[in-house]
RNA sequence: GGAGAAGUGGCCGAGAGGCCGAAGGCGCUCCCCUGCUAAGGGAGUACAUGGUUUAUCCCGUGUCGAGGGUUCGAAUCCCUCCUUCUCCGCCA
């Protein structure tokens, strides 16, 4: 959520900024609604003030034992007028809130212009893509023959975009999670957190998935209960960003505890509505996948550096796994709704002969914090101020598995186990 | 799943229709006194938001778990939901 004052005072500049990300802000409509709001709110508050003062005088008169009937008569129609005014105001306010909640974050000045992912700018490369003297297979062909990776069974159990893994494959998948968590905890100073995989609506509003992206989420319907509107419903988390970031929702954290760095392993659930036909083969785009997430809560002046650190932490994993990758900065048109600036890490996939996203690291600045009222007390001004929140994948586990399988493949179809993972797999060196 | 109790500022806690944005305590900030393993005195100290502009000041509005309702007036009464605790049942 953007600062409402910024929208009131300088909406044209905001609209211009947002145009960079292909977002059209109807400044005239907002302005008109705002003007109405101002008069309506002032009028409503005047009525409330009148009610309050009159009620108070009734109380005082009663305490003195005076006759309050004439006073009651005076306020007879005040209630109805006030009620009407309050209803008009809340309707109008809801309209304004809808608009404001649907406005994406302002982009950092360093974000390059561009319309789509084709305009993202490469920042750096690490490692060299391996050269094979045989025809490379993709991870599906490598994993399927021995049932290590089994998409047919998964579609029987559930449907498309799920997987069953067996034996060494399942173990390597688990090893990756442990390896990532251990690295972030031991070398990068993160605190591990375990969080619910289902969250309420408020949490999803806090991080920005709602109200705009409801179709990407799975909503839980509990058992035999008919959808009862009065009861709160839960959603499966699309990323650990949601539960972990919401830890600071409605909190005023001690400035001394900053920066806070959390890491969490969770499954992620995405409906992938709107991506029909994309990446239908293999593990790349699943309804359920594991991710190790990195989150920072920092003072505003430190968030720029925190993003650089966070990306480095994610890069460390790829480097230890000796996987070639490149780092890109997302252009204006490709940067996500809540993000001010995003780096993607893209790992080399031999079978696709290209780099594919494996991590996305973003500085949300105060966008999520404002929605969540996540604050810290500034020791100098003694006033609460909004935190800056950041998050990034460190890394997406399924896609990392894909990268290992394809980059470490041998001519006979077996897969070498990366050195750093071997201790996590009982010393196993070859996966077949 | 059944029965009961409770949710008040950074924390603890009083308050039971009007004199309550809320006693008292702890903590914190500032000042004074004193002078040495410390103690005493005084003052201040919720958040959001509108007028209202970077900000200050002032005036208002809202907020006592959340949302509705009753009333001239609700922290206080009623309803729904959420959460916590106690007892019983069940359970990885």
């Amino acid at each position: 959520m953007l600062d409402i004052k910024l929208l009131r005072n300088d909406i044209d500049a905001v609209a211009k900024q947002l145009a960079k990300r292909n977002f059209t802000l109807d400044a005239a409509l907002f302005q008109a609604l705002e003007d109405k709001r101002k008069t309506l709110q002032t009028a409503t508050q005047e009525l409330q003030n009148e009610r309050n003062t009159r009620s108070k005088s009734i109380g005082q008169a009663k305490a003195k034992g005076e006759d309050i009937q004439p006073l009651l008569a005076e306020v007879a129609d005040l209630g109805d007028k006030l009620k009407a005014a309050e209803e008009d105001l809340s309707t109008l306010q809801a309209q304004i809130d809808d608009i404001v909640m649907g406005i994406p974050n302002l982009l950092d000045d360093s974000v390059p212009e561009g319309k789509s992912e084709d305009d993202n700018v490469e920042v750096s490369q690490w490692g060299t893509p391996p050269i094979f003297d045989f025809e490379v297979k993709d991870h599906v062909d490598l994993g399927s023959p021995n049932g290590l990776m089994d998409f047919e069974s998964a579609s029987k159990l559930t449907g498309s975009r799920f997987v069953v893994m067996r034996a060494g494959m399942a173990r390597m998948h688990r090893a990756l999670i442990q390896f990532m968590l251990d690295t972030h905890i031991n070398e990068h100073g993160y605190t591990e957190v375990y969080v619910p995989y289902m969250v309420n609506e408020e949490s999803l509003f806090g991080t920005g998935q709602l109200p705009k992206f409801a179709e990407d989420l799975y909503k839980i319907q509990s058992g035999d209960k008919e959808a009862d509107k009065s009861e709160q419903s839960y959603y499966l988390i699309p990323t650990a960003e949601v539960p972990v970031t919401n830890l600071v929702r409605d909190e005023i954290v001690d400035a001394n505890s900053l920066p806070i760095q959390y890491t969490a392993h969770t499954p992620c659930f995405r409906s992938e509505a709107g991506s029909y036909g994309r990446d239908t083969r293999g593990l790349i785009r699943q309804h359920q996948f594991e991710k190790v997430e990195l989150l920072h809560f920092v003072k505003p002046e430190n968030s720029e550096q925190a993003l650089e650190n966070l990306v480095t932490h994610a890069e460390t994993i790829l480097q230890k796994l000796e996987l070639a990758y490149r780092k890109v900065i997302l252009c204006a048109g490709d940067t996500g709704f809540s993000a001010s600036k995003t780096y993607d890490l893209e790992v080399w996939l031999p079978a696709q002969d290209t780099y594919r996203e494996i991590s996305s690291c973003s500085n949300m600045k105060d966008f999520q914090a404002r929605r969540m009222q996540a604050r810290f007390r500034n020791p100098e001004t003694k006033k609460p101020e909004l935190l800056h929140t950041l998050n990034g994948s460190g890394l997406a586990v399924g896609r990392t598995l894909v990268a290992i399988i394809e980059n470490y493949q041998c001519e006979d179809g077996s897969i070498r186990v990366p050195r750093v993972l071997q201790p996590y797999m009982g010393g196993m060196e070859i996966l077949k």
Side-chain angles (χ1 to χ4, degrees):
Chain A
M1 193 165 90
L2 297 182
D3 188 349
I4 190 82
K5 283 182 185 151
L6 191 63
L7 289 168
R8 284 177 192 151
N9 300 335
D10 213 356
I11 190 153
D12 291 329
V14 173
K16 202 174 158 196
Q17 241 266 29
L18 293 173
K20 283 196 222 165
R21 43 157 102 223
N22 307 329
F23 183 87
T24 313
L25 178 61
D26 191 340
L29 174 65
F30 180 84
Q31 206 71 268
L33 290 173
E34 253 304 305
D35 289 345
K36 259 204 247 173
R37 188 224 98 229
K38 201 167 180 174
T39 45
L40 200 49
Q41 180 166 358
T42 311
T44 306
Q45 291 188 349
E46 267 168 27
L47 284 171
Q48 286 170 328
N49 186 11
E50 191 180 343
R51 177 201 61 195
N52 290 347
T53 44
R54 284 187 184 272
S55 293
K56 200 164 262 181
S57 62
I58 290 173
Q60 285 162 354
K62 205 175 174 186
K64 286 183 212 151
E66 295 169 7
D67 180 17
I68 59 169
Q69 277 311 319
L71 291 171
L72 284 180
E74 281 176 33
V75 294
D77 64 334
L78 192 61
D80 291 339
K81 272 203 293 196
L82 182 58
K83 199 165 188 173
E86 281 174 344
E87 271 168 20
D88 289 350
L89 181 62
S90 78
T91 310
L92 183 63
Q93 194 61 56
Q95 280 180 319
I96 293 172
D97 288 348
D98 270 359
I99 293 174
V100 173
M101 291 295 267
I103 299 175
N105 200 357
L106 294 177
L107 296 165
D108 190 86
D109 291 338
S110 61
V111 172
E113 301 208 356
K115 295 261 178 255
S116 73
E117 57 182 313
D118 301 326
D119 302 316
N120 295 342
V121 176
E122 182 177 300
V123 179
S124 62
Q125 281 194 18
W126 187 91
T128 30
I131 295 161
F132 297 91
D133 54 7
F134 55 89
E135 199 174 327
V136 296
K137 295 176 180 163
D138 79 355
H139 68 282
V140 180
D141 288 337
L142 289 161
S144 297
N146 303 321
L148 294 175
M149 203 175 264
D150 181 352
F151 294 95
E152 288 76 18
S153 291
S155 61
K156 178 177 74 178
L157 299 180
T158 311
S160 66
R161 292 197 193 277
F162 288 90
V163 71
V164 169
M165 289 186 267
R166 294 191 178 87
M169 190 67 77
R171 189 173 190 181
M172 187 188 275
H173 185 250
R174 175 164 55 90
L176 275 171
I177 295 165
Q178 305 302 340
F179 161 67
M180 290 178 194
L181 285 172
D182 285 351
T183 302
H184 296 311
I185 295 162
N186 297 329
E187 298 178 21
H188 302 146
Y190 286 80
T191 303
E192 183 177 0
V193 286
Y194 172 83
V195 290
Y197 302 156
M198 297 186 242
V199 292
N200 56 33
E201 286 195 353
E202 272 188 289
S203 293
L204 289 157
F205 271 98
T207 35
Q209 281 76 16
L210 289 178
K212 242 191 157 176
F213 305 103
E215 73 277 7
D216 297 335
L217 301 167
Y218 285 112
K219 191 173 185 176
I220 313 280
Q221 211 168 10
S222 73
D224 51 350
K225 280 182 195 161
E226 288 295 312
D228 184 349
K229 292 242 167 56
S230 64
E231 270 185 59
Q232 183 165 304
S233 50
Y234 297 146
Y235 295 78
L236 292 175
I237 57 170
T239 159
E241 171 194 345
V242 178
V244 180
T245 307
N246 274 279
L247 284 172
V248 287
R249 165 152 58 86
D250 294 324
E251 300 286 337
I252 300 175
V253 303
D254 188 343
N256 293 323
S257 66
L258 298 175
I260 295 170
Q261 293 189 179
Y262 283 136
T263 184
H265 153 243
T266 71
C268 305
F269 303 93
R270 299 188 182 177
S271 78
E272 292 296 344
S275 65
Y276 301 112
R278 282 183 73 195
D279 302 314
T280 48
R281 183 177 164 84
L283 270 186
I284 295 291
R285 195 174 296 276
Q286 301 262 291
H287 289 309
Q288 171 185 319
F289 62 96
E290 308 297 303
K291 193 149 58 77
V292 170
E293 190 75 359
L294 305 172
L295 297 106
H296 292 207
F297 309 136
V298 303
K299 294 179 187 171
E301 64 266 30
N302 297 330
S303 71
E304 194 178 332
Q305 183 58 47
L307 179 61
E308 300 302 322
N309 296 346
L310 195 155
V311 182
T312 307
H313 298 155
E315 286 180 73
T316 303
I317 302 295
L318 287 166
Q319 292 175 9
K320 283 177 185 272
L321 290 168
E322 300 177 68
L323 293 167
Y325 68 90
R326 61 176 200 152
K327 176 168 136 186
V328 302
I329 179 167
L330 298 194
C331 73
D334 203 29
T335 301
F337 179 79
S338 300
S340 173
K341 177 179 183 176
T342 300
Y343 290 111
D344 271 9
L345 298 179
E346 299 180 342
V347 71
W348 178 258
L349 294 186
Q352 296 193 8
D353 197 35
T354 186
Y355 290 97
R356 286 300 305 260
E357 178 188 339
I358 197 166
S359 172
S360 192
C361 304
S362 301
N363 184 0
M364 309 308 198
K365 297 194 177 168
D366 61 9
F367 188 81
Q368 293 179 325
R370 185 172 294 106
R371 289 177 163 232
M372 293 191 296
Q373 286 300 306
R375 294 165 294 170
F376 70 102
R377 196 173 292 280
N378 186 325
E380 281 158 31
T381 63
K382 289 169 193 155
K383 294 282 177 198
E385 291 179 21
L386 294 172
L387 288 167
H388 278 197
T389 63
L390 302 92
N391 66 75
S393 6
L395 307 163
V397 180
R399 290 188 180 183
T400 308
L401 190 65
V402 169
I404 290 170
I405 295 167
E406 295 194 2
N407 281 280
Y408 280 80
Q409 64 179 292
C410 305
E411 190 163 13
D412 64 357
S414 64
I415 295 147
R416 288 183 295 120
V417 177
R419 206 172 307 121
V420 289
L421 288 186
Q422 290 172 11
Y424 289 91
M425 297 179 67
M428 189 188 293
E429 292 175 19
I430 299 283
L431 181 65
K432 46 179 155 187

